[in-house]
Tab-separated table of all heavy atoms in Angstrom:
chain	number	residue	atom	x	y	z
A	67	GLU	N	-21.461	-6.123	5.815
A	67	GLU	CA	-20.865	-7.412	5.462
A	67	GLU	C	-19.351	-7.337	5.685
A	67	GLU	O	-18.703	-6.371	5.280
A	67	GLU	CB	-21.163	-7.746	4.001
A	67	GLU	CG	-20.748	-9.135	3.577
A	67	GLU	CD	-21.560	-10.229	4.238
A	67	GLU	OE1	-22.678	-9.940	4.706
A	67	GLU	OE2	-21.072	-11.371	4.286
A	68	PRO	N	-18.756	-8.336	6.341
A	68	PRO	CA	-17.312	-8.289	6.579
A	68	PRO	C	-16.522	-8.461	5.288
A	68	PRO	O	-17.048	-8.889	4.260
A	68	PRO	CB	-17.079	-9.459	7.546
A	68	PRO	CG	-18.214	-10.390	7.282
A	68	PRO	CD	-19.390	-9.542	6.923
A	69	VAL	N	-15.258	-8.115	5.357
A	69	VAL	CA	-14.367	-8.269	4.208
A	69	VAL	C	-14.246	-9.753	3.865
A	69	VAL	O	-13.977	-10.584	4.734
A	69	VAL	CB	-12.988	-7.662	4.520
A	69	VAL	CG1	-12.039	-7.867	3.358
A	69	VAL	CG2	-13.129	-6.183	4.845
A	70	ARG	N	-14.422	-10.062	2.588
A	70	ARG	CA	-14.424	-11.461	2.174
A	70	ARG	C	-14.162	-11.559	0.690
A	70	ARG	O	-14.173	-10.563	-0.034
A	70	ARG	CB	-15.771	-12.107	2.498
A	70	ARG	CG	-16.944	-11.453	1.775
A	70	ARG	CD	-18.280	-12.055	2.186
A	70	ARG	NE	-18.351	-13.472	1.879
A	70	ARG	CZ	-19.345	-14.270	2.255
A	70	ARG	NH1	-20.335	-13.765	2.997
A	70	ARG	NH2	-19.363	-15.531	1.942
A	71	ALA	N	-13.924	-12.796	0.222
A	71	ALA	CA	-13.743	-13.095	-1.199
A	71	ALA	C	-14.379	-14.443	-1.484
A	71	ALA	O	-14.314	-15.360	-0.664
A	71	ALA	CB	-12.273	-13.104	-1.584
A	72	ALA	N	-15.035	-14.567	-2.648
A	72	ALA	CA	-15.709	-15.809	-3.030
A	72	ALA	C	-15.568	-15.997	-4.530
A	72	ALA	O	-15.405	-15.028	-5.289
A	72	ALA	CB	-17.184	-15.781	-2.623
A	73	TYR	N	-15.656	-17.265	-4.947
A	73	TYR	CA	-15.524	-17.591	-6.372
A	73	TYR	C	-16.456	-18.756	-6.683
A	73	TYR	O	-16.453	-19.772	-5.979
A	73	TYR	CB	-14.069	-17.968	-6.690
A	73	TYR	CG	-13.783	-18.073	-8.163
A	73	TYR	CD1	-13.478	-16.927	-8.898
A	73	TYR	CD2	-13.820	-19.290	-8.812
A	73	TYR	CE1	-13.211	-17.011	-10.247
A	73	TYR	CE2	-13.552	-19.376	-10.162
A	73	TYR	CZ	-13.265	-18.237	-10.883
A	73	TYR	OH	-13.012	-18.329	-12.219
A	74	HIS	N	-17.266	-18.584	-7.754
A	74	HIS	CA	-18.235	-19.625	-8.097
A	74	HIS	C	-18.531	-19.584	-9.591
A	74	HIS	O	-19.016	-18.571	-10.115
A	74	HIS	CB	-19.536	-19.424	-7.309
A	74	HIS	CG	-20.580	-20.459	-7.598
A	74	HIS	ND1	-20.467	-21.763	-7.174
A	74	HIS	CD2	-21.767	-20.361	-8.269
A	74	HIS	CE1	-21.538	-22.441	-7.559
A	74	HIS	NE2	-22.341	-21.620	-8.232
A	75	GLU	N	-18.184	-20.666	-10.260
A	75	GLU	CA	-18.501	-20.865	-11.679
A	75	GLU	C	-18.062	-19.686	-12.542
A	75	GLU	O	-18.833	-19.111	-13.319
A	75	GLU	CB	-20.001	-21.112	-11.860
A	75	GLU	CG	-20.484	-22.418	-11.228
A	75	GLU	CD	-21.969	-22.650	-11.464
A	75	GLU	OE1	-22.618	-21.739	-12.032
A	75	GLU	OE2	-22.465	-23.722	-11.101
A	76	GLY	N	-16.813	-19.312	-12.404
A	76	GLY	CA	-16.265	-18.253	-13.243
A	76	GLY	C	-16.580	-16.849	-12.797
A	76	GLY	O	-16.164	-15.877	-13.460
A	77	THR	N	-17.303	-16.688	-11.711
A	77	THR	CA	-17.643	-15.363	-11.193
A	77	THR	C	-16.946	-15.169	-9.848
A	77	THR	O	-17.057	-16.020	-8.964
A	77	THR	CB	-19.155	-15.203	-11.020
A	77	THR	OG1	-19.800	-15.417	-12.282
A	77	THR	CG2	-19.489	-13.808	-10.525
A	78	ALA	N	-16.242	-14.075	-9.731
A	78	ALA	CA	-15.511	-13.766	-8.502
A	78	ALA	C	-16.186	-12.596	-7.815
A	78	ALA	O	-16.566	-11.610	-8.458
A	78	ALA	CB	-14.053	-13.437	-8.806
A	79	GLY	N	-16.373	-12.719	-6.521
A	79	GLY	CA	-16.982	-11.644	-5.737
A	79	GLY	C	-16.169	-11.379	-4.491
A	79	GLY	O	-15.524	-12.298	-3.952
A	80	CYS	N	-16.190	-10.150	-4.034
A	80	CYS	CA	-15.435	-9.802	-2.838
A	80	CYS	C	-16.026	-8.539	-2.214
A	80	CYS	O	-16.770	-7.787	-2.858
A	80	CYS	CB	-13.950	-9.605	-3.146
A	80	CYS	SG	-13.612	-8.267	-4.303
A	81	VAL	N	-15.688	-8.330	-0.965
A	81	VAL	CA	-15.995	-7.102	-0.241
A	81	VAL	C	-14.653	-6.502	0.163
A	81	VAL	O	-13.897	-7.131	0.919
A	81	VAL	CB	-16.880	-7.363	0.989
A	81	VAL	CG1	-17.172	-6.059	1.721
A	81	VAL	CG2	-18.170	-8.052	0.592
A	82	VAL	N	-14.351	-5.322	-0.359
A	82	VAL	CA	-13.042	-4.705	-0.123
A	82	VAL	C	-13.226	-3.379	0.593
A	82	VAL	O	-14.154	-2.623	0.305
A	82	VAL	CB	-12.279	-4.492	-1.451
A	82	VAL	CG1	-11.911	-5.814	-2.075
A	82	VAL	CG2	-13.106	-3.656	-2.421
A	83	PRO	N	-12.355	-3.072	1.552
A	83	PRO	CA	-12.382	-1.739	2.183
A	83	PRO	C	-11.653	-0.729	1.308
A	83	PRO	O	-10.623	-1.041	0.689
A	83	PRO	CB	-11.661	-1.967	3.508
A	83	PRO	CG	-10.742	-3.113	3.234
A	83	PRO	CD	-11.395	-3.972	2.203
A	84	VAL	N	-12.178	0.477	1.237
A	84	VAL	CA	-11.550	1.561	0.482
A	84	VAL	C	-11.556	2.811	1.353
A	84	VAL	O	-12.323	2.922	2.314
A	84	VAL	CB	-12.280	1.830	-0.854
A	84	VAL	CG1	-12.227	0.610	-1.750
A	84	VAL	CG2	-13.718	2.259	-0.612
A	85	ILE	N	-10.679	3.759	1.002
A	85	ILE	CA	-10.594	5.035	1.695
A	85	ILE	C	-11.421	6.057	0.920
A	85	ILE	O	-11.194	6.278	-0.277
A	85	ILE	CB	-9.137	5.504	1.812
A	85	ILE	CG1	-8.318	4.495	2.627
A	85	ILE	CG2	-9.067	6.871	2.467
A	85	ILE	CD1	-8.772	4.344	4.049
A	86	ASP	N	-12.379	6.671	1.587
A	86	ASP	CA	-13.235	7.677	0.965
A	86	ASP	C	-13.295	8.894	1.874
A	86	ASP	O	-13.932	8.849	2.942
A	86	ASP	CB	-14.642	7.120	0.727
A	86	ASP	CG	-15.563	8.146	0.084
A	86	ASP	OD1	-15.259	8.582	-1.042
A	86	ASP	OD2	-16.576	8.513	0.712
A	87	ASP	N	-12.591	9.955	1.464
A	87	ASP	CA	-12.579	11.212	2.204
A	87	ASP	C	-12.133	11.006	3.659
A	87	ASP	O	-12.737	11.514	4.602
A	87	ASP	CB	-13.956	11.863	2.151
A	87	ASP	CG	-13.927	13.324	2.595
A	87	ASP	OD1	-12.824	13.910	2.579
A	87	ASP	OD2	-14.983	13.867	2.965
A	88	GLY	N	-11.077	10.236	3.834
A	88	GLY	CA	-10.517	10.014	5.147
A	88	GLY	C	-11.193	8.939	5.982
A	88	GLY	O	-10.703	8.600	7.053
A	89	ARG	N	-12.304	8.406	5.525
A	89	ARG	CA	-12.993	7.342	6.266
A	89	ARG	C	-12.908	6.031	5.490
A	89	ARG	O	-12.724	6.017	4.276
A	89	ARG	CB	-14.466	7.720	6.500
A	89	ARG	CG	-15.287	7.845	5.229
A	89	ARG	CD	-16.692	8.318	5.515
A	89	ARG	NE	-17.475	8.443	4.290
A	89	ARG	CZ	-18.228	7.470	3.796
A	89	ARG	NH1	-18.312	6.319	4.444
A	89	ARG	NH2	-18.903	7.649	2.670
A	90	VAL	N	-13.052	4.950	6.222
A	90	VAL	CA	-12.975	3.618	5.627
A	90	VAL	C	-14.387	3.126	5.348
A	90	VAL	O	-15.229	3.084	6.257
A	90	VAL	CB	-12.232	2.634	6.557
A	90	VAL	CG1	-12.175	1.253	5.930
A	90	VAL	CG2	-10.828	3.138	6.852
A	91	THR	N	-14.666	2.781	4.103
A	91	THR	CA	-15.949	2.208	3.720
A	91	THR	C	-15.704	0.923	2.944
A	91	THR	O	-14.573	0.638	2.547
A	91	THR	CB	-16.765	3.202	2.874
A	91	THR	OG1	-18.056	2.660	2.614
A	91	THR	CG2	-16.055	3.485	1.557
A	92	ARG	N	-16.755	0.154	2.728
A	92	ARG	CA	-16.630	-1.144	2.062
A	92	ARG	C	-17.461	-1.159	0.794
A	92	ARG	O	-18.585	-0.654	0.768
A	92	ARG	CB	-17.078	-2.275	2.995
A	92	ARG	CG	-16.169	-2.431	4.200
A	92	ARG	CD	-16.684	-3.446	5.178
A	92	ARG	NE	-15.807	-3.549	6.340
A	92	ARG	CZ	-16.062	-4.299	7.395
A	92	ARG	NH1	-17.184	-5.013	7.448
A	92	ARG	NH2	-15.215	-4.329	8.403
Side-chain angles (χ1 to χ4, degrees):
E67 187 68 21
V69 178
R70 61 184 299 173
Y73 191 84
H74 180 71
E75 294 182 355
T77 302
C80 62
V81 180
V82 293
V84 298
I85 298 297
D86 180 62
D87 194 19
R89 64 184 180 92
V90 179
T91 185
R92 294 174 181 175

